[in-house]
Amino acid sequence: MKYGYFDQERREYVITRPDTPEPWANYLGSPEYGAIISNNAAGYSFIRSGADGRLIRYRFNELNTNLPGRYIYIRDDETGEYWTNSWQPAAKPLETFHSECRHGTAYTVISAEYAGIYSKAAYYVPLGKTHEVWDVRLRNNSGRPRKLSVFFYSEFTNLGSYEQDTVNLQYSTFISRSEYKDNVIVQHLNENTQNGDGTKGSHRFAALAGADACAHCGDREAFFGPYRNYGNPLTVENGGAGGADCYNGNAVGALQTKVTLGAGEESAMAYMLGEGNFDAASAVAAAYVSGRAERELAELKSYWHEKLDRFTVNTPDENLNASVNTWNAYQCFITFIWSRAASFIYCGLRNGYGYRDTIQDIQGIMHLAPEMAVERLRFMLSAQVSSGGGLPLVKFTHNAGHEDTPDDASYRETTGHPHYRSDDALWLFPTVDKYVRETGDTAFYDEVIPFAEKGEATVYGHLKRAIEFSFAHMTEHGLPAGLEADWNDCLRMGEKGESSFLSFQLYYALELFGAIAAFKGDAGSEAWAFGLKGKLAEAIESYFFEGDRYIRAVTEDGLRIGSRGAEEANIWLNPQSWAVLTGYASGEKAKAILDTVYQRLNTAYGVKLFDPPFRKFGMPVARMILFNPGTKENAGVFSQTQGWLIQAEAKAGRGGRAFEYYNKANPAAMNGRAEIRRLEPYAHGQFIESDDSPYAGRGHVHWLTGTASTVMIGLVEGILGVHPAYEGIAVEPCIPADWTGFTIRKLFRGRWLDIEVINESGTEKGVKRVVLNGSALAPGLIPFDRLSEGVNEIKVYM
Ligand code: GLC
């Protein structure tokens, strides 16, 4: 079933059927003022922190018909009939109610046509601002004069903290009151408490501009009346917002205006929400003049589209194009900017950045905005402990050089992380490497950055410490120890357990570090790294290899996880993909282990994490047994891992297979089967239920997931084959043999590359020749100094 389509031209996803299986979300603003909105206008906003800065309320895990949101009720004052601009919550019959939602880059436009009235609300946060705007237009298409009322509704939280607002009612419902003056409702919180800066309390506002409020209501219960819900507020039904103010209870920003429209006539107005008292509200509202919303929306579009334009493709697969050019790219920015802070699933209680997640998120925007990526990379390097490990959770208040660490009880208590995770700092290697290769900024290696708790080192020094950290925690078999966990939070091999995934990561780290050392002319470190790499490779081979697969781990007690004869979990995905993508396994061996994956783990909806799921074997090693089989880490299709598999198949030269896997992972490819996948067809989720679940194909945990970045890298580096290097760039695609070609437009260190790949031999991989601006080059690297400052025409013949 299909609920919408991709408008590639406008970079929008257009929802034409509003009864989507789940609320399909979009992100507005930035964490300075963040807003999440569904295609039915449900959602919430926060200021600075999803955990502590909630402005308007949302109830998690609620029925989709009972969600607070940004509602606009329209009432025909002659007949008394009313509806909402978004289909929900009034939910008029879809035979007569026409709805469209356009989710775009940091804006959402919802429109309706009902009873001869066209209405449209553009929701957005102006660029760089800390308030939100609902820009509303009405048009009378009925051919006769109409008298309407429009009610704007939003529901303030009583406390910025989601948890406190929800559960600490004996306190939170007695600290708030609302006040109305000149088109503005202000909610005062703790208004008699003195702040450090001499002000008192805190204040939020809802303001109307471009129209006059004829009535208001600041109290939730008064707005709805007894035993009503979002779909049928009594004040709307009666046609008058009533004038109640909130004093204790729950404050809302309901404002009513009356509109008389002749046949064909239009009217415009805006509703705004933000932090501050009447003055702040008036200043924001006063700035609203005709044309302003169009300007602000145009600004937003050009801000985002300029970034997305830096890497665009045109391949034979429209779904891939939609992802690379807009949605996967935009999702990479969202995960980069928002981390795991706020969605309809993440309640915002994690007040910091997960180390491994964030370092991986950075990779997803490298080809689009390396200047943004490096800022966050510096920040994350400054959250590396001087012993080389990463802080499992980097607080939003991180103060480099002064932090406590997992070695301190205080850190363990405040973050809940008992120990270092073995993989965190190892993610730095591919991320630093990608940054320097994208930008050519090799001076970055020499930049001095503090450690989390004390001391400082160059970036090169930070990387070396990360390796030393792993080697300070080696087991007697010469393998890095499991510590709290590796990438898989649920697999607890024990402090002294061993993980093949982790070992491949360390192998890769040594490979990348050795290459950097060679570049820097540091022969001692180069020999050190490559020497360790050789020994590690031997240990990996003798300890983890079992003929057609690498096992996943060996627990502290010597139990082999992922071993062929085991009753459960006897074949795992990540060790095979990582063996290949790191270059550890190549040639026939690479193909053989990837074939094991194809035979054992491939399902109709992607490749599962392992097989069979855990049903008997249990805690404490396999914590995933807590999940139903086929779900999340218990043999679900864990979406992030699909990106690594795509990379691995591409590395092995099998473009058809790489694309087959990509196509299963691509949300857009499920657009016509949305009733199965349920999640937004324009966003990756954390996982898909595998064939071990009765609901195979159902997706979960939308938007904030490492999937965005790993799948993007699988595409850009793996399938499309774009490989920047210090001295230039290579284009070495790995595609389905029946693709006759494709084009890429890329901004590379300030120069434009117009790349056309021509697959004249119908091959999956292998470049025969390259032509740059009319001159033939050998296949391989296109030297940067051969690129001209204008647009470069590059033809790549396969
Ligand atoms: C979640 C976590 C991530 C972890 C993964 C596998 O996605 O955010 O850190 O690697 O699960 O357990």
Side-chain angles (χ1 to χ4, degrees), residues 340 346 350 356-357 487-490 633 638 640 686:
R340 304 296 174 268
Y346 283 107
R350 184 157 77 158
R356 76 161 82 91
D357 292 10
W487 169 86
N488 191 324
D489 287 328
C490 297
E633 280 98 335
F638 212 86
Q640 186 185 7
Q686 187 198 62

Side-chain angles (χ1 to χ4, degrees), residues 20 31 39 75 81 133 144 264 266 364 383 414 423 582 645 667 674 691:
T20 49
N39 56 310
R75 180 178 187 272
E81 191 185 20
V133 179
R144 59 189 167 87
E266 296 189 9
T414 50
D423 64 318
T582 56
L645 182 59
D691 55 4

